[in-house]
Amino acid sequence: MDNGQPNYLQEWGNQVACQFRSAWNEELPSERFEEVFEPSLVFHFHDQELHGLAAYRAFMARVRGHASGLDIVPELVLSHGELVLLYFRW
């Protein structure tokens, strides 16, 4: 995806961050979720490590149950190869 470029601030990484935020805010249609994100998605949140889309969806539902208006804002997006590291602020 980054064509071997050493720059970790790639535009495609920002696009992934926008899609991730859309999914969080339930703006991404549920049928597109599997199209946009890899089934092997690994999500790290404090002391939790969530593996796969089902685990992440369950996490989103649980958090929204306690704070329905909670939004995430990208702070830093680093991308390399096919990996994206996203730092968000709640």
Side-chain angles (χ1 to χ4, degrees):
M1 293 212 163
D2 61 13
N3 299 320
Q5 298 176 16
N7 180 3
Y8 294 108
L9 302 173
Q10 302 281 327
E11 180 54 35
W12 68 269
N14 290 327
Q15 293 168 1
V16 170
C18 288
Q19 292 171 330
F20 199 75
R21 187 177 188 196
S22 293
W24 177 265
N25 291 325
E26 297 180 297
E27 298 165 352
L28 182 70
S30 60
E31 64 273 4
R32 295 250 8 256
F33 201 86
E34 284 79 14
E35 295 173 20
V36 174
F37 300 107
E38 287 291 321
S40 60
L41 172 100
V42 177
F43 176 75
H44 300 272
F45 177 72
H46 295 287
D47 62 346
Q48 298 180 51
E49 188 172 282
L50 306 171
H51 293 266
L53 297 180
Y56 184 69
R57 284 181 147 174
F59 171 79
M60 287 192 306
R62 190 171 58 251
V63 171
R64 280 195 206 107
H66 298 288
S68 61
L70 189 63
D71 189 8
I72 55 175
V73 178
E75 287 286 313
L76 176 65
V77 181
L78 302 175
S79 50
H80 180 68
E82 294 183 356
L83 301 174
V84 177
L85 176 66
L86 307 174
Y87 285 96
F88 283 97
R89 163 173 54 92
W90 297 98

